[in-house]
Amino acid sequence: PVYVPFHETQVKSAIGNKGTFSLDKKDILLSKGQKSSGLTESTLRQSISDAFGPKAAERLIGNVIVPIADQSQLPAHVIPLAREGDTIYGFYDPQTDKTYAVLSNLSPDMVRGFVLHELGVHAGFERMLGPEKYASVLRRLDILHGFGNKAVRAARVEAEKNAASPDQIPQEQIAYLVQNHPKLSLVQ
C-alpha cells in the first residue's frame, strides 16, 4: 500500500524520534505512542540473558553494568556532561570503568544495542584492538562515509547529534553503527 499525507503534520519518522506525538506539530521526530515505561533490574538481567546468554547476564549485572533507576542517580561528575533535555539510556564511565544503565529510559528491545554500544565500543573496543587497529577502523569508516555508505552516514549523523563534544564523534559513530547494524561486515 501507498500512503499519501495531505498535511505536513501527518509525516512522522520511524527512527530517531523522541517518544511523543502531536498532530499540531510538524516535527517528524515525534512518534505516536508512549515513552518507554522502563525496566527493572530483573528485566534488564533477563534481556541481557536473552541477547547474550545467562552467564553473560550474571557476569555483567552489578559488576560491569550498574543499573540506576533514573537520571537523578547519575554520578555527580557525569551531570555536567549531559545537555538540558537529554534522555540518557546509559553510559560508560571511564573514571569507574563501569557502565550505567538508566532503567527508566530503557525498554527490553533496546538492551542488546545498549550493551553493544556502551560495553562493546565505549568500554572496550579501543583497548581490545589497540591504538593502531582502532585508528585503522576509524579510517575505514571515513572511507565508507566518503563512498556514501548509508549505515555509516546515519551513524555519523547520530554521533554528531548526540556526542557531548566533537572529539567523541568518531567513537560515537562506531557505537551507533554497532548498536544499529550489528550484522554489518565491518562490525562483525
Side-chain angles (χ1 to χ4, degrees):
V2 175
Y3 299 97
V4 179
F6 294 101
H7 306 284
E8 53 195 354
T9 57
Q10 293 175 318
V11 178
K12 301 298 174 193
S13 171
I15 59 171
N17 58 61
K18 299 174 185 162
T20 56
F21 178 80
S22 172
L23 285 174
D24 303 322
K25 295 183 181 172
K26 299 174 188 173
D27 189 342
I28 69 167
L29 296 179
L30 304 176
S31 69
K32 195 171 190 173
Q34 299 293 323
K35 186 177 176 186
S36 170
S37 59
L39 299 175
T40 64
E41 187 172 329
S42 112
T43 55
L44 174 66
R45 182 181 304 277
Q46 185 59 52
S47 296
I48 291 174
S49 180
D50 292 346
F52 303 102
K55 287 183 181 180
E58 195 59 39
R59 281 193 313 266
L60 293 175
I61 300 295
N63 300 314
V64 179
I65 297 176
V66 179
I68 58 175
D70 57 47
Q71 288 183 204
S72 70
Q73 295 181 334
L74 291 171
H77 66 276
V78 172
I79 293 170
L81 301 174
R83 295 170 297 222
E84 183 72 31
D86 274 356
T87 299
I88 299 170
Y89 301 101
F91 62 94
Y92 169 69
D93 181 2
Q95 286 187 19
T96 62
D97 200 29
K98 301 281 185 191
T99 295
Y100 292 83
V102 183
L103 297 177
S104 63
N105 295 337
L106 288 168
S107 61
D109 62 316
M110 297 168 74
V111 170
R112 185 175 194 279
F114 157 76
V115 171
L116 291 172
H117 181 121
E118 298 300 339
L119 290 179
V121 176
H122 293 310
F125 194 58
E126 187 172 5
R127 282 190 275 184
M128 179 181 73
L129 292 180
E132 193 173 296
K133 286 184 181 176
Y134 182 76
S136 173
V137 169
L138 294 177
R139 285 191 299 277
R140 286 178 65 195
L141 285 178
D142 284 341
I143 290 167
L144 289 169
H145 185 271
F147 281 124
N149 182 287
K150 290 180 184 180
V152 172
R153 285 181 173 247
R156 176 145 331 153
V157 167
E158 202 164 351
E160 289 171 348
K161 182 174 79 174
N162 293 313
S165 63
D167 63 314
Q168 290 181 334
I169 291 172
Q171 189 178 70
E172 284 294 336
Q173 180 180 7
I174 295 170
Y176 284 114
L177 191 62
V178 167
Q179 175 181 328
N180 298 325
H181 301 281
K183 297 192 187 297
L184 199 64
S185 62
L186 174 68
V187 172
Q188 293 181 343

Coordinates of all heavy atoms in Angstrom, one line a residue, residues 146-179:
G146 N 32.7 8.5 2.9 CA 33.0 9.2 1.6 C 32.4 8.5 0.4 O 32.0 9.2 -0.5
F147 N 32.2 7.2 0.5 CA 31.6 6.4 -0.6 C 30.1 6.4 -0.5 O 29.4 5.8 -1.3 CB 32.1 5.0 -0.7 CG 33.5 4.9 -1.4 CD1 34.5 4.3 -0.7 CD2 33.7 5.3 -2.6 CE1 35.8 4.1 -1.3 CE2 34.9 5.2 -3.3 CZ 36.0 4.6 -2.6
G148 N 29.6 7.0 0.6 CA 28.1 7.1 0.7 C 27.4 6.0 1.4 O 26.2 5.8 1.2
N149 N 28.2 5.1 2.1 CA 27.5 4.0 2.8 C 26.4 4.6 3.8 O 26.7 5.4 4.6 CB 28.6 3.3 3.6 CG 28.0 2.1 4.3 OD1 27.3 2.2 5.3 ND2 28.3 0.9 3.9
K150 N 25.2 4.1 3.5 CA 24.1 4.7 4.3 C 24.2 4.4 5.8 O 23.9 5.3 6.6 CB 22.8 4.1 3.7 CG 22.4 4.6 2.4 CD 21.1 4.0 1.8 CE 20.9 4.5 0.4 NZ 19.6 4.0 -0.1
A151 N 24.6 3.2 6.2 CA 24.6 2.9 7.6 C 25.7 3.7 8.3 O 25.5 4.3 9.4 CB 24.9 1.4 7.8
V152 N 26.8 3.9 7.6 CA 27.9 4.7 8.2 C 27.5 6.2 8.3 O 27.8 6.9 9.3 CB 29.2 4.5 7.4 CG1 30.3 5.5 7.9 CG2 29.7 3.1 7.5
R153 N 26.9 6.7 7.2 CA 26.4 8.1 7.2 C 25.4 8.3 8.3 O 25.4 9.3 9.0 CB 25.9 8.5 5.9 CG 27.0 8.7 4.9 CD 26.4 9.1 3.5 NE 27.5 9.4 2.6 CZ 27.8 10.7 2.2 NH1 27.0 11.6 2.5 NH2 28.8 10.9 1.4
A154 N 24.5 7.4 8.5 CA 23.4 7.5 9.5 C 24.1 7.5 10.9 O 23.7 8.3 11.8 CB 22.4 6.4 9.4
A155 N 25.0 6.6 11.1 CA 25.7 6.6 12.4 C 26.5 7.9 12.7 O 26.5 8.3 13.8 CB 26.7 5.4 12.4
R156 N 27.1 8.5 11.6 CA 27.8 9.7 11.9 C 26.8 10.8 12.2 O 27.1 11.6 13.1 CB 28.6 10.1 10.6 CG 29.2 11.5 10.9 CD 30.6 11.8 10.3 NE 31.5 10.8 10.1 CZ 32.4 10.8 9.2 NH1 32.6 11.9 8.4 NH2 33.3 9.8 9.1
V157 N 25.7 10.9 11.5 CA 24.7 11.9 11.9 C 24.2 11.8 13.3 O 24.2 12.7 14.1 CB 23.5 11.8 10.9 CG1 22.3 12.6 11.4 CG2 23.9 12.3 9.5
E158 N 23.9 10.5 13.7 CA 23.5 10.3 15.1 C 24.6 10.7 16.1 O 24.4 11.2 17.1 CB 23.1 8.8 15.3 CG 22.2 8.6 16.4 CD 21.5 7.3 16.4 OE1 21.5 6.6 15.4 OE2 20.8 7.0 17.4
A159 N 25.9 10.3 15.7 CA 27.0 10.7 16.6 C 27.2 12.2 16.7 O 27.4 12.7 17.8 CB 28.3 10.0 16.0
E160 N 27.1 12.9 15.6 CA 27.2 14.3 15.7 C 26.1 15.0 16.5 O 26.4 16.0 17.2 CB 27.2 14.9 14.2 CG 28.5 14.6 13.5 CD 28.4 14.9 12.0 OE1 27.3 15.3 11.5 OE2 29.5 14.9 11.4
K161 N 24.9 14.4 16.4 CA 23.8 14.9 17.2 C 24.0 14.6 18.7 O 23.6 15.5 19.5 CB 22.5 14.3 16.7 CG 21.3 14.8 17.3 CD 20.0 14.3 16.7 CE 19.8 12.9 17.1 NZ 18.6 12.2 16.7
N162 N 24.5 13.5 19.0 CA 24.5 13.1 20.4 C 25.8 13.1 21.2 O 25.8 13.0 22.4 CB 23.9 11.6 20.5 CG 22.5 11.6 20.1 OD1 21.7 12.3 20.6 ND2 22.2 10.6 19.2
A163 N 26.9 13.3 20.5 CA 28.2 13.4 21.2 C 28.2 14.7 22.1 O 27.7 15.7 21.7 CB 29.3 13.5 20.2
A164 N 28.8 14.5 23.3 CA 28.9 15.6 24.2 C 29.9 16.6 23.8 O 29.9 17.8 24.1 CB 29.2 15.1 25.6
S165 N 30.9 16.1 23.0 CA 31.9 17.0 22.5 C 32.4 16.5 21.1 O 32.3 15.3 20.9 CB 33.1 17.1 23.5 OG 33.7 15.9 23.6
P166 N 33.0 17.4 20.3 CA 33.4 16.9 18.9 C 34.4 15.8 19.0 O 34.4 14.9 18.1 CB 34.0 18.2 18.3 CG 33.4 19.3 19.1 CD 33.1 18.8 20.5
D167 N 35.3 15.7 20.0 CA 36.3 14.6 20.0 C 35.6 13.3 20.3 O 36.3 12.2 20.0 CB 37.4 14.9 21.0 CG 36.9 15.0 22.4 OD1 35.9 15.7 22.7 OD2 37.6 14.4 23.3
Q168 N 34.4 13.2 20.7 CA 33.7 11.9 20.9 C 33.0 11.4 19.7 O 32.6 10.2 19.6 CB 32.6 12.1 22.0 CG 33.1 12.3 23.4 CD 32.0 12.4 24.4 OE1 30.9 12.8 24.0 NE2 32.3 12.1 25.6
I169 N 32.9 12.2 18.6 CA 32.2 11.8 17.4 C 32.7 10.5 16.8 O 31.9 9.6 16.5 CB 32.1 13.0 16.4 CG1 31.2 14.1 17.0 CG2 31.5 12.5 15.0 CD1 31.2 15.4 16.2
P170 N 34.0 10.3 16.6 CA 34.4 9.1 16.0 C 34.0 7.8 16.7 O 33.5 6.9 16.2 CB 36.0 9.2 15.9 CG 36.2 10.7 15.9 CD 35.1 11.3 16.8
Q171 N 34.2 7.9 18.1 CA 33.8 6.7 18.9 C 32.3 6.5 18.9 O 31.8 5.4 18.9 CB 34.4 6.8 20.3 CG 34.2 5.6 21.1 CD 34.8 5.7 22.5 OE1 34.3 6.4 23.3 NE2 35.9 5.0 22.7
E172 N 31.6 7.6 19.0 CA 30.1 7.5 19.0 C 29.6 7.0 17.6 O 28.7 6.2 17.6 CB 29.5 8.9 19.2 CG 29.5 9.3 20.7 CD 28.7 8.4 21.6 OE1 27.7 7.8 21.2 OE2 29.0 8.4 22.8
Q173 N 30.3 7.3 16.6 CA 29.9 6.8 15.3 C 30.0 5.3 15.2 O 29.1 4.6 14.8 CB 30.8 7.4 14.1 CG 30.4 6.9 12.8 CD 31.2 7.5 11.7 OE1 32.2 8.2 11.9 NE2 30.8 7.2 10.4
I174 N 31.2 4.8 15.7 CA 31.3 3.3 15.8 C 30.2 2.7 16.7 O 29.6 1.7 16.4 CB 32.7 2.9 16.4 CG1 33.8 3.4 15.4 CG2 32.8 1.4 16.6 CD1 35.2 3.3 16.0
A175 N 30.0 3.4 17.8 CA 29.0 2.8 18.8 C 27.6 2.8 18.2 O 26.9 1.8 18.3 CB 29.0 3.7 20.1
Y176 N 27.2 3.8 17.5 CA 25.9 3.8 16.8 C 25.8 2.8 15.7 O 24.8 2.2 15.4 CB 25.4 5.2 16.4 CG 25.0 6.0 17.5 CD1 25.7 7.2 17.9 CD2 23.9 5.7 18.3 CE1 25.3 7.9 19.0 CE2 23.5 6.4 19.4 CZ 24.2 7.6 19.7 OH 23.8 8.3 20.8
L177 N 26.9 2.6 15.0 CA 27.0 1.6 13.9 C 26.8 0.2 14.5 O 26.0 -0.6 14.0 CB 28.3 1.8 13.1 CG 28.4 1.0 11.8 CD1 27.4 1.5 10.8 CD2 29.8 1.1 11.3
V178 N 27.5 -0.1 15.6 CA 27.4 -1.4 16.2 C 26.0 -1.6 16.8 O 25.4 -2.6 16.7 CB 28.5 -1.5 17.3 CG1 28.2 -2.7 18.2 CG2 29.9 -1.6 16.7
Q179 N 25.5 -0.5 17.4 CA 24.2 -0.6 18.0 C 23.1 -0.9 17.0 O 22.2 -1.7 17.2 CB 23.9 0.7 18.8 CG 22.5 0.7 19.4 CD 22.3 2.1 20.1 OE1 23.2 2.6 20.7 NE2 21.1 2.5 20.1

